[in-house]
Amino acid sequence: MNGVNTNTLCPRCGQAFRCGATASRCDCFDLQLSEELRTRLVQQYEHCLCLTCLRQLQAQETSAPGDPAKA
């Protein structure tokens, strides 16, 4: 999730979205993602994911803890 853009495509789903991280405020800042999930995302993706994908991954994590095939 490095190399943040203000207008980009989600590398997971291909959806266009606006990342506000470089503007000091992004909707994803309010998501509570586990350290394990954050680590996996950084290893798996070079850029930020859209809010929809992050919410889906967050929901999968809470509904199936310990499942290695979540992302």
Side-chain angles (χ1 to χ4, degrees):
M1 298 187 321
N2 309 330
V4 183
N5 268 325
T6 54
N7 293 300
T8 190
L9 295 178
C10 176
R12 183 172 181 257
C13 71
Q15 178 72 28
F17 73 102
R18 184 180 190 291
C19 177
T22 58
S24 301
R25 180 73 194 133
C26 188
D27 289 338
C28 72
F29 293 173
D30 296 328
L31 291 178
Q32 298 295 316
L33 304 177
S34 71
E35 282 302 314
E36 178 186 329
L37 179 56
R38 288 178 186 274
T39 299
R40 264 197 344 261
L41 293 175
V42 168
Q43 291 172 348
Q44 190 171 358
Y45 300 103
E46 188 174 328
H47 298 285
C48 292
L49 274 62
C50 69
L51 193 57
T52 300
C53 282
L54 290 174
R55 286 182 176 150
Q56 288 173 350
L57 292 169
Q58 179 187 41
Q60 288 174 2
E61 180 178 54
T62 58
S63 67
D67 182 357
K70 290 181 252 181

